[in-house]
Amino acid sequence: MKRVVKNFSSYINGAWVQSEEIHSIYNPANLKEHIQDICLATSSDAKNAVLAARNASEIWSNTETLKRISKLHQIMNDLENQRNEVAEIITLENGKTILEAKGEVDAAISEGNYQLEYLKNNLIEFEGSNKLLYRPLGVALLITPWNFPLSTVIRKMIPALACGNTIVLKPSEYSSLTSLFIFEILDNNELPKGSVNLVLGPGNTLSDALINTDEVDIVSFTGSTATGESIQKKISHSNVRYQAEMGGANALVVWDDANIEMAVSATIASGYACAGQWCTGISKLIIHESVYKNCIDILKKSVENIQVGNGLDQKTAMGPLCNKPQLNKMIDFVNRAADQGAEILTGGSQLFDKSKNGYFFQPTLLSNMSLDMEVSSEEIFGPIINVFKTNDINQAIKYANLGKYGLSFSVYTSSESTADHFISNVNASICHVNMPTPYREVSMPFTGWKLSGKGIPESGRFARDAFTKPKVVYRTAN
Ligand code: NAD
């Protein structure tokens, strides 16, 4: 067994804290490949992590902003210098292709550096002799998912720390290795003891110990809507700030005047990149009747050409699903959709192949979807696209708005007014015209409407407001 990170346990109050419960991590592309064992934190470890963060709060919040920022810049530089190593770890534990993993690392680095540059100059404002200070909240509990194991952590951790908060990170149990890698960098940079803490293990068992409403000042959550809502309930009677980035069931529209080749390649990028496990990826493709046949013919060929395999193999275009529940969810989804009248245009099954012993699922296209099918409005979060057909713009908008989510959207059209009509009427916070749905820029908020998001976004220029509270100082000469 090779060990991909030196350490294998939670990191609390400046020390690696081992426990008796061991969890073995296997490569999702090859279940015979045992990657590493890690220790799962106990409830008492989780409590200690929160208390350590509380105790370190005074020293870190009073460290000069420029000193904090310069330390964090060094951390981002260290991450950049180990870009290839961290990308390989992401592929090994998550399954995404090495190209996708490197893309994630690069995006995380630009996002972290953007936050540091922005916050360097924006934690204090002057208005005449009055001062507006953006002061840290205290202890930030950061809970993150497995699908973007590096960027979802950096997106929260860098602004939280730069603003002067101390942190407890609870990453997904499926992304412990990437988090350990990040914490080895933090450990090498010798931040004040207790200012950064890592708690490894499943959220449901650690939840009560972590969500200590007396000691935590903000919970910043990214993950499914169901988990996000359960955390919100837990803290609803307290003064703890809550911000959440949650699920999505996003749509891409191909209208009658679209460039079909462009729309098809955006559909592949939006639907099957990271094996569809991308919150801003698409699960709904809405095609105008007049271009439906042409679009589907080209798309089906492209989908069938997607090379599925081990993400470390350069030829692979789509890796496995990250874990067994994900694989079971896809099998179940296709079965339910077929029962409700969906037609499988291509794919629809698990890929069994001795050389591909892992959680592989075929890139899948389902057609014949309608508004009244219960599955039409679900978040799929895998390599399955539901295709809808219409020639009515209002019907297309209804399909796009189906369900409880409101995250991302794209329309392919050459008409500005058609694009504007869609954008004005879809309930999505991140909209695109003639671009794939996951596209984003780091200065912009990455957030969701309806049950896709809650509270002030922790990203873009909003991160400061998510992780600070204002203090106004009026002053006059004595
Ligand atoms: P999840 O909700 O199962 O888990 C997310 C995190 O919450 C994990 O760390 C998990 O251990 C923890 N958790 C689980 N139960 C908990 C509880 N009771 N109390 C406290 N923490 C708990 O989600 P996932 O499967 O890891 O990630 C996939 C989901 O994340 C998808 O729904 C996807 O859309 C969403 N996502 C959203 C964004 C966004 O920015 N909107 C980004 C990435 C992923």
Side-chain angles (χ1 to χ4, degrees):
M1 179 189 76
K2 62 179 170 186
R3 187 182 271 184
V4 294
V5 277
K6 276 205 290 301
N7 291 287
F8 50 89
S9 63
S10 299
Y11 181 82
I12 299 165
N13 205 23
W16 301 99
V17 176
Q18 296 181 21
S19 67
E20 282 180 1
E21 199 176 342
I22 302 295
H23 170 67
S24 300
I25 298 169
Y26 292 87
N27 184 346
N30 179 0
L31 299 179
K32 290 180 189 147
E33 188 184 346
H34 179 201
I35 300 176
Q36 189 163 331
D37 286 345
I38 57 157
C39 293
L40 300 180
T42 61
S43 290
S44 112
D45 294 334
K47 278 185 194 149
N48 290 340
V50 172
L51 292 180
R54 167 61 66 213
N55 291 337
S57 182
E58 194 176 334
I59 179 163
W60 184 246
S61 63
N62 287 319
T63 302
E64 265 172 60
T65 302
L66 289 184
K67 262 198 188 160
R68 289 199 304 258
I69 301 261
S70 133
K71 216 19 152 189
L72 295 167
H73 261 311
Q74 185 53 49
I75 286 160
M76 295 311 296
N77 287 344
D78 290 355
L79 187 60
E80 192 164 6
N81 291 337
Q82 298 173 78
R83 170 186 187 256
N84 294 338
E85 289 88 328
V86 69
E88 195 168 324
I89 290 173
I90 292 174
T91 296
L92 275 176
E93 80 174 330
N94 171 286
K96 65 176 69 173
T97 68
I98 190 70
L99 206 66
E100 289 166 342
K102 286 181 181 166
E104 177 177 351
V105 180
D106 295 343
I109 291 165
S110 17
E111 188 160 15
N113 284 331
Y114 164 80
Q115 287 299 350
L116 294 176
E117 284 310 305
Y118 180 75
L119 293 168
K120 186 159 81 183
N121 302 314
N122 286 292
L123 291 179
I124 180 164
E125 287 171 9
F126 296 93
E127 212 179 79
S129 61
N130 306 330
K131 253 196 313 198
L132 177 52
L133 307 171
Y134 290 88
R135 295 298 296 150
L137 300 170
V139 175
L141 171 60
L142 315 178
I143 303 178
T144 54
W146 47 262
N147 68 319
F148 276 80
L150 182 76
S151 60
T152 53
V153 172
I154 296 295
R155 182 170 306 143
K156 295 179 190 302
M157 179 183 100
I158 291 295
L161 287 169
C163 290
N165 302 283
T166 55
I167 63 157
V168 177
L169 172 68
K170 211 306 283 167
S172 164
E173 49 277 35
Y174 299 108
S175 59
S176 307
L177 298 179
T178 309
S179 303
L180 281 162
F181 191 91
I182 299 168
F183 268 71
E184 286 182 351
I185 293 178
L186 294 173
D187 184 43
N188 286 338
N189 277 278
E190 297 180 343
L191 277 82
K193 259 190 189 173
S195 51
V196 294
N197 301 275
L198 171 68
V199 176
L200 297 178
N204 51 358
T205 58
L206 296 167
S207 187
D208 286 343
L210 285 170
I211 305 177
N212 172 348
T213 51
D214 290 332
E215 299 296 350
V216 166
D217 297 287
I218 174 172
V219 179
S220 174
F221 168 79
T222 300
S224 65
T225 294
T227 307
E229 287 188 307
S230 79
I231 295 175
Q232 190 181 346
K233 262 195 204 129
K234 222 173 219 164
I235 58 178
S236 61
H237 295 296
S238 74
N239 207 15
V240 175
R241 187 178 290 181
Y242 184 53
Q243 84 77 224
E245 309 303 336
M246 302 182 281
N250 312 303
L252 185 146
V253 171
V254 185
W255 213 235
D256 56 350
D257 53 356
N259 177 326
I260 301 295
E261 302 284 336
M262 263 175 76
V264 166
S265 82
T267 301
I268 299 287
S270 307
Y272 303 106
C274 300
Q277 302 167 122
W278 198 330
C279 59
T280 46
I282 59 164
S283 57
K284 290 180 279 188
L285 176 65
I286 302 154
I287 310 177
H288 193 282
E289 237 171 60
S290 64
V291 292
Y292 185 86
K293 187 175 176 321
N294 186 21
C295 188
I296 288 292
D297 286 347
I298 304 175
L299 179 60
K300 191 164 168 279
K301 272 197 203 112
S302 305
V303 175
E304 285 165 356
N305 277 337
I306 295 174
Q307 185 93 27
V308 181
N310 187 321
L312 287 177
D313 181 342
Q314 299 290 341
K315 290 192 297 289
T316 295
M318 188 180 107
L321 295 160
C322 176
N323 51 52
K324 196 158 187 201
Q326 275 293 102
L327 178 63
N328 291 340
K329 210 172 112 191
M330 296 311 119
I331 296 168
D332 175 60
F333 185 88
V334 172
N335 289 339
R336 279 186 299 126
D339 285 348
Q340 289 172 37
E343 184 191 336
I344 302 172
L345 287 178
T346 185
S349 306
Q350 180 179 0
L351 274 170
F352 293 105
D353 178 336
K354 269 199 184 145
S355 65
K356 292 176 180 167
N357 182 17
Y359 302 126
F360 293 100
F361 195 82
Q362 291 175 309
T364 298
L365 268 183
L366 302 179
S367 70
N368 223 14
M369 305 300 293
S370 64
L371 277 171
D372 57 7
M373 286 159 76
E374 162 257 324
V375 286
S376 290
S377 53
E378 277 184 31
E379 174 177 54
I380 302 178
F381 213 58
I384 300 174
I385 295 180
N386 293 334
V387 187
F388 299 80
K389 176 164 65 169
T390 182
N391 58 9
D392 173 356
I393 196 163
N394 294 321
Q395 180 80 350
I397 289 164
K398 266 195 190 149
Y399 288 140
N401 286 340
L402 261 179
K404 58 187 178 187
Y405 304 105
L407 193 49
S408 76
F409 170 81
S410 183
V411 55
Y412 275 73
T413 173
S414 45
S415 151
E416 247 178 72
S417 63
T418 302
D420 289 344
H421 187 79
F422 272 106
I423 303 294
S424 304
N425 289 286
V426 292
N427 284 318
S429 56
I430 308 170
C431 294
H432 306 80
V433 178
N434 299 321
M435 294 173 97
T437 53
Y439 179 84
R440 75 167 291 230
E441 302 214 350
V442 291
S443 59
M444 293 291 181
F446 188 73
T447 188
W449 285 7
K450 293 160 79 182
L451 291 184
S452 292
K454 179 88 195 159
I456 310 171
E458 92 286 43
S459 52
R461 290 189 295 272
F462 290 79
R464 175 194 66 185
D465 299 335
F467 289 111
T468 61
K469 54 192 175 194
K471 177 182 266 188
V472 188
V473 183
Y474 301 108
R475 187 186 296 253
T476 182
N478 192 323

